[in-house]
Amino acid sequence: MMLFTKLLLAHLLGDFLFQPTKWVVHKEANKITSKYLYLHILIHFGLTMLLLWDIELWWWAVIIALSHYMIDLSKIYAGPYFKNKSIPFFIDQALHLVVLYCCAFNSNLIGHTVGLVREINWPLVTAVVFASYPSSIIMAKLLEGMSDRIELDHKSLPNAGKYIGIIERLFVLIFIILGRWEAIGLLITAKSVFRFNDLKESNSRKLTEYILIGTLLSFGLAILTGLIYLGVR
């Protein structure tokens, strides 16, 4: 399980934190000729080797990198055939997780990794990373069909909603780890108070429903992440 956590952390870092949006756009436009596709795969290889910290496992990092290349390339070419763009994204992520699972629970690989340094709390690091940018992207994919129907407030700060969501999920994760569930209720109440004036002035039922769904989804992802962490730590 510890090994799978490390591989998952490498995947989250490579696919979400170290892959700018312009890389994704460039890959979709240029497909197999995109330079960012190969840079993306190289980053995954480097992150996998860094977290495994065992030169003898280089060939497993190669397998993960090559499978990532094939899965990403398939998504790039198959994506235009899907009306719902979220479907290729979730299929892509599911296939990556299957590869990581197969690698992590292979008996030979586990035998090689006995005795690796465990001072770092890898489940906690992975939980924190997932609660940040990966969760934001997952939420954006789930809510993109609704966001098109909401009038944008051009007075808002750029990406303010994304960063507010990341901060609130990290707070929720911390509260769960500390066992302070009541603090989560206070956090929801505080956010509701700040949002009340905006919703009152807009007088938009769609906006109210959108914010409510987004808030519940954000808190739900954070709570689920915290519960999984408590279960595997």
Side-chain angles (χ1 to χ4, degrees), residues 4 7 60 96-107 109:
F4 177 74
L7 295 179
W60 279 106
H96 289 317
L97 292 179
V98 169
V99 172
L100 297 182
Y101 181 89
C102 291
C103 289
F105 292 97
N106 179 280
S107 58
L109 186 55

Side-chain angles (χ1 to χ4, degrees), residues 39-58:
L39 182 57
H40 175 63
I41 300 305
L42 183 61
I43 288 175
H44 268 284
F45 174 80
L47 288 170
T48 302
M49 285 298 301
L50 179 63
L51 292 181
L52 288 177
W53 203 252
D54 189 341
I55 194 64
E56 294 183 4
L57 300 178
W58 66 268

